[in-house]
């Protein structure tokens, strides 16, 4: 007698909040293929990174999410994305282990050094710290939609997320891969090429402060896409793949932020006597 296979359990979260159409698109993508637990911040939390801030009195509030006429249960928490993931794993899963955590689908790409700013990516990192496979999925959208729920066609992103989960959920991930970041260009369709790449060392967005002075207010800065002047995307990093080649950028990330320099090269700096000259000043100084 064949025993039917249990569908995988997937925790879906985000940083745009429980009401985000991007989150609902992720639910639509995965509802036919998995058991879903949906837990997201109660409000917009873009750009908070891996903040552990939360309302100390916050508890999960039940929300109904309508997907193609079907009511799906979700849970909202007055907390950052990382805290929401942490709390959901302990308070909602009741000891069960999800087969995967999906963070997104985010309004706006998360490229380069902005991975440490992104609540989407850092929610996935928080899941990875619990030793769960985690995807951080983002769709390129107009900048004015980064902090609002603008009208977006999610169809390509739904298709790509479904394919990604099918490919990655049961596969053995290479050692040191904790999160797989997926950035989808706004031109994507079912035929768009996927490219595995590195995270760029450039910021996906950076703040330009025109006519900067000591009295300049933070709110006077201008958020600008891409590397600062004089820098550029590499041809095989996430920015180059997404913005220049217009392909889906698949970026494996590690929670280990140790530099890749050989330890001996760092030790060598400490072994040079001149490195310690400033630590041993003379007893007196003649002026």
């Amino acid at each position: 007698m064949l025993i039917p296979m249990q569908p995988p359990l997937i925790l879906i979260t985000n940083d745009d909040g429980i009401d985000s159409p991007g989150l609902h698109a992720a639910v639509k993508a995965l509802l036919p293929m998995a058991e879903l637990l949906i837990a997201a911040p109660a409000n917009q939390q873009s750009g908070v990174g891996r903040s552990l801030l939360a309302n100390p009195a916050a508890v999960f509030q039940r929300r109904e999410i309508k997907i193609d006429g079907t009511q799906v249960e979700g849970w909202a928490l007055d907390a950052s994305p990382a805290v929401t993931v942490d709390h959901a794993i302990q308070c909602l899963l009741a000891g069960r282990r999800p087969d995967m955590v999906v963070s997104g689908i985010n309004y706006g790409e998360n490229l380069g050094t902005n991975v440490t700013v992104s609540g989407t990516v850092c929610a996935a990192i928080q899941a990875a710290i619990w030793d769960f496979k985690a995807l951080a999925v983002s769709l390129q959208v107009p900048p004015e939609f980064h902090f609002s729920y603008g009208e977006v066609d999610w169809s390509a992103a739904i298709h790509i997320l479904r394919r990604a989960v099918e490919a990655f959920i049961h596969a053995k991930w290479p050692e040191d891969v904790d999160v797989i970041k997926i950035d989808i260009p706004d031109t994507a369709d079912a035929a768009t090429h996927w490219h595995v790449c590195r995270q760029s060392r450039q910021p996906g967005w950076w703040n330009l402060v025109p006519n900067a002075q000591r009295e300049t207010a933070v709110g006077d800065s201008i958020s600008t896409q891409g590397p600062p002047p004089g820098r550029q995307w590499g041809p095989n990093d996430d920015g180059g793949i997404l913005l220049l080649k217009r392909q889906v950028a698949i970026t494996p990330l590690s929670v280990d932020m140790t530099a890749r320099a050989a330890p001996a090269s760092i030790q060598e700096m400490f072994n040079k006597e001149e490195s310690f000259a400033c630590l041993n000043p003379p007893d007196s100084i003649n002026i």
Side-chain angles (χ1 to χ4, degrees), residues 7-283:
L9 174 62
I10 298 177
L11 170 61
I12 296 182
T13 191
N14 73 348
D15 72 351
D16 289 326
I18 191 73
D19 297 318
S20 169
L23 179 85
H24 300 178
V27 174
K28 182 175 180 178
L30 302 180
L31 192 59
M33 58 186 292
E35 178 186 352
L36 303 182
L37 175 64
I38 305 159
N43 305 297
Q44 170 64 256
Q45 296 280 334
S46 291
V48 304
R50 196 169 158 248
S51 166
L52 298 180
L53 292 178
N55 174 0
V59 296
F60 278 111
Q61 302 293 326
R62 191 173 184 274
R63 295 284 189 89
E64 290 289 342
I65 300 171
K66 184 174 287 188
I67 305 295
D68 293 338
T70 300
Q71 295 287 347
V72 181
E73 182 181 71
W75 299 92
L77 188 69
D78 185 10
S80 70
V83 170
T84 300
V85 168
D86 198 56
H87 212 54
I89 288 170
Q90 298 176 81
C91 298
L92 295 180
L93 285 170
R96 299 179 67 193
R97 286 186 59 85
D99 296 281
M100 177 170 280
V101 177
V102 172
S103 181
I105 302 168
N106 188 63
Y107 272 90
E109 67 278 13
N110 283 300
L111 302 176
T113 58
N114 282 98
V115 295
T116 58
V117 177
S118 165
T120 302
V121 175
C122 288
I125 288 174
Q126 192 69 25
I129 288 170
W130 283 87
D131 198 28
F132 301 138
K133 294 177 178 177
L135 304 184
V137 188
S138 304
L139 174 66
Q140 182 187 22
V141 299
E144 58 267 28
F145 292 171
H146 286 183
F147 294 92
S148 66
Y149 300 150
E151 190 68 29
V152 170
D153 180 1
W154 299 100
S155 57
I158 287 171
H159 172 78
I160 289 166
L161 173 56
R162 192 173 290 153
R163 281 186 58 200
V165 169
E166 289 172 346
F168 296 132
I169 192 167
H170 295 303
K172 181 176 174 55
W173 289 19
E175 185 178 355
D176 201 37
V177 175
D178 299 302
V179 172
I180 294 179
K181 182 173 72 76
I182 303 174
D183 292 283
I184 304 167
D186 56 11
T187 55
D189 58 26
T192 299
H193 184 67
W194 299 31
H195 191 116
V196 179
C197 56
R198 297 193 64 85
Q199 174 213 305
S200 174
R201 298 177 69 91
Q202 306 302 330
W205 291 85
W206 62 288
N207 287 330
L208 171 67
V209 183
N211 304 314
Q213 302 177 45
R214 180 173 56 82
E215 299 84 2
T216 303
V218 172
D220 292 341
S221 64
I222 300 172
S223 187
T224 304
Q225 187 181 53
R231 305 184 194 176
Q232 59 185 0
W233 297 116
N236 292 306
D237 62 28
D238 53 3
I241 296 302
L242 183 84
L243 299 176
L244 303 181
K245 295 185 178 179
R246 312 301 296 154
Q247 297 173 352
V248 178
I250 306 293
T251 313
L253 302 177
S254 172
V255 298
D256 180 357
M257 298 182 69
T258 309
R260 289 175 293 277
S265 66
I266 308 300
Q267 186 66 46
E268 183 181 359
M269 293 191 289
F270 283 93
N271 291 340
K272 292 182 179 178
E273 291 184 2
E274 56 266 30
S275 298
F276 294 93
C278 61
L279 301 180
N280 299 287
D283 294 334

